[in-house]
């Protein structure tokens, strides 16, 4: 496992550093927006705007986790397919399904670390400015966006691992439709009742990559 994680780390380390800096930058800027409003008009005005206008001040973050997940999958798996490394990897004396699962697990772990850093930054700042009910409202509102980033990583991995272009196009269409679910309701906390199911739905997308590997193993190639 350590060898696989190290191999994936070598491929993705610079992208991960960039992704961490970019996501923290957007999260930090969103916190500065709250700080600016609070400084100019008072914290009470922030509370009033959040409650009366359904404003959460973090709308800039909406598609950032999605893009981070997509790009991580591309950085991690496109070289594997382009340089025919996957074929060699699957012929190593190691269970094939377990190997793919470990590669995906690596991606999930680093994404969770990146997204957790975002959450930590926002939580630490907002605890000093907003009441718990208000900052939890923001954190719950952005949670589906971060789940979308994880789902995007798993779905794009599925597409990258698919050995034929015709099926990749089909998988892409399916992925777009599946990801659309995370952005159907723009209102704050719209997904609260659905969050446990959304998390399960996100994790289940990991199994789709197994279909691509099964097709690869039986010789389905362009």
């Amino acid at each position: 496992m350590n060898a696989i994680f190290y191999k994936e780390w070598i491929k993705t380390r610079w992208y991960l550093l960039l992704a961490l800096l970019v996501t923290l930058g957007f999260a930090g800027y969103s916190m500065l927006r709250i700080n600016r409003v609070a400084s100019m008009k008072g914290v009470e005005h922030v509370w009033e705007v959040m409650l009366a206008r359904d404003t959460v001040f973090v709308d800039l973050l909406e598609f950032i986790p999605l893009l981070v997940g997509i790009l991580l999958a591309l950085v991690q798996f496109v070289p594997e397919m382009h340089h025919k490394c996957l074929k060699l990897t699957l012929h190593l004396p190691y269970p094939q399904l377990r190997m793919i699962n470990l590669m995906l697990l690596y991606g999930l772990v680093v994404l969770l670390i990146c997204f957790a850093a975002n959450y930590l930054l926002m939580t630490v700042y907002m605890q000093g400015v907003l009441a718990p009910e208000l900052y939890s409202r923001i954190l719950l509102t952005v949670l589906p966006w971060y789940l979308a980033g994880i789902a995007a990583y798993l779905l794009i991995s599925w597409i990258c691992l698919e050995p034929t272009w015709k099926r990749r196009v089909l998988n892409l269409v399916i992925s777009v439709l599946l990801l659309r679910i995370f952005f159907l309701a723009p209102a704050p906390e719209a997904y609260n009742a659905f969050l446990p199911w959304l998390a399960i739905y996100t994790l289940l997308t990991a199994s789709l990559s197994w279909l691509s590997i099964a097709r690869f193993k039986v010789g389905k190639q362009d």
Side-chain angles (χ1 to χ4, degrees), residues 57-120:
F57 295 101
V58 291
D59 48 290
L60 286 175
L61 285 173
E62 184 171 6
F63 298 107
I64 299 301
L66 180 75
L67 292 174
V68 168
I70 290 172
L71 291 175
L72 176 59
L74 294 176
V75 169
Q76 187 178 1
F77 290 107
V78 166
E80 292 279 344
M81 301 303 290
H82 180 68
H83 299 296
K84 310 295 183 183
C85 298
L86 185 64
K87 182 181 293 186
L88 176 62
T89 300
L90 294 179
H91 281 85
L92 293 174
Y94 197 84
Q96 296 171 340
L97 191 57
R98 186 177 180 187
M99 185 172 296
I100 294 301
N101 286 341
L102 287 174
M103 294 169 73
L104 293 173
L105 177 62
Y106 166 84
L108 290 175
V109 168
V110 295
L111 274 182
L112 287 173
I113 291 172
C114 179
F115 294 164
N118 283 221
Y119 254 72
L120 181 62

Side-chain angles (χ1 to χ4, degrees), residues 1-13 106:
M1 184 176 77
N2 291 340
I4 294 173
F5 273 34
Y6 181 72
K7 177 175 75 73
E8 300 306 304
W9 167 250
I10 292 298
K11 282 191 300 185
T12 60
R13 64 190 187 281
Y106 166 84

Side-chain angles (χ1 to χ4, degrees), residues 1-218:
M1 184 176 77
N2 291 340
I4 294 173
F5 273 34
Y6 181 72
K7 177 175 75 73
E8 300 306 304
W9 167 250
I10 292 298
K11 282 191 300 185
T12 60
R13 64 190 187 281
W14 295 116
Y15 167 73
L16 291 173
L17 177 61
L18 178 63
L20 180 62
L21 292 176
V22 169
T23 55
L24 287 176
F26 274 92
Y29 181 74
S30 298
M31 297 303 98
L32 288 177
R33 292 177 66 191
I34 297 176
N35 183 67
R36 183 174 58 187
V37 174
S39 299
M40 294 176 61
K41 299 186 177 181
V43 175
E44 295 79 6
H45 180 73
V46 176
W47 297 356
E48 180 184 348
V49 170
M50 288 185 64
L51 295 174
R53 304 181 191 173
D54 277 344
T55 300
V56 289
F57 295 101
V58 291
D59 48 290
L60 286 175
L61 285 173
E62 184 171 6
F63 298 107
I64 299 301
L66 180 75
L67 292 174
V68 168
I70 290 172
L71 291 175
L72 176 59
L74 294 176
V75 169
Q76 187 178 1
F77 290 107
V78 166
E80 292 279 344
M81 301 303 290
H82 180 68
H83 299 296
K84 310 295 183 183
C85 298
L86 185 64
K87 182 181 293 186
L88 176 62
T89 300
L90 294 179
H91 281 85
L92 293 174
Y94 197 84
Q96 296 171 340
L97 191 57
R98 186 177 180 187
M99 185 172 296
I100 294 301
N101 286 341
L102 287 174
M103 294 169 73
L104 293 173
L105 177 62
Y106 166 84
L108 290 175
V109 168
V110 295
L111 274 182
L112 287 173
I113 291 172
C114 179
F115 294 164
N118 283 221
Y119 254 72
L120 181 62
L121 172 65
M122 291 188 288
T123 302
V124 168
Y125 173 77
M126 290 189 294
Q127 280 181 337
V129 178
L130 302 175
E133 295 81 6
L134 294 179
Y135 71 72
S136 65
R137 179 180 177 85
I138 293 176
L139 295 177
L140 287 171
T141 298
V142 302
L143 184 55
W145 304 344
Y146 285 101
L147 288 175
I150 294 172
Y153 165 73
L154 294 171
L155 290 168
I156 300 302
S157 299
W158 171 44
I159 295 169
C160 291
L161 292 169
E162 169 56 42
T164 66
W165 277 103
K166 184 181 295 185
R167 184 61 70 91
R168 283 176 185 166
V169 173
L170 175 62
N171 292 354
L172 178 60
V173 172
I174 294 172
S175 297
V176 170
L177 295 175
L178 292 176
L179 289 172
R180 183 74 181 91
I181 293 173
F182 293 88
F183 303 98
L184 290 175
E189 295 188 279
Y191 285 92
N192 278 9
F194 189 55
L195 279 175
W197 297 106
L198 201 62
I200 294 171
Y201 167 85
T202 299
L203 293 176
L204 286 176
T205 57
S207 62
L208 293 173
S209 292
W210 305 343
L211 301 177
S212 293
I213 295 303
R215 286 171 50 78
F216 190 89
K217 286 166 59 179
V218 298

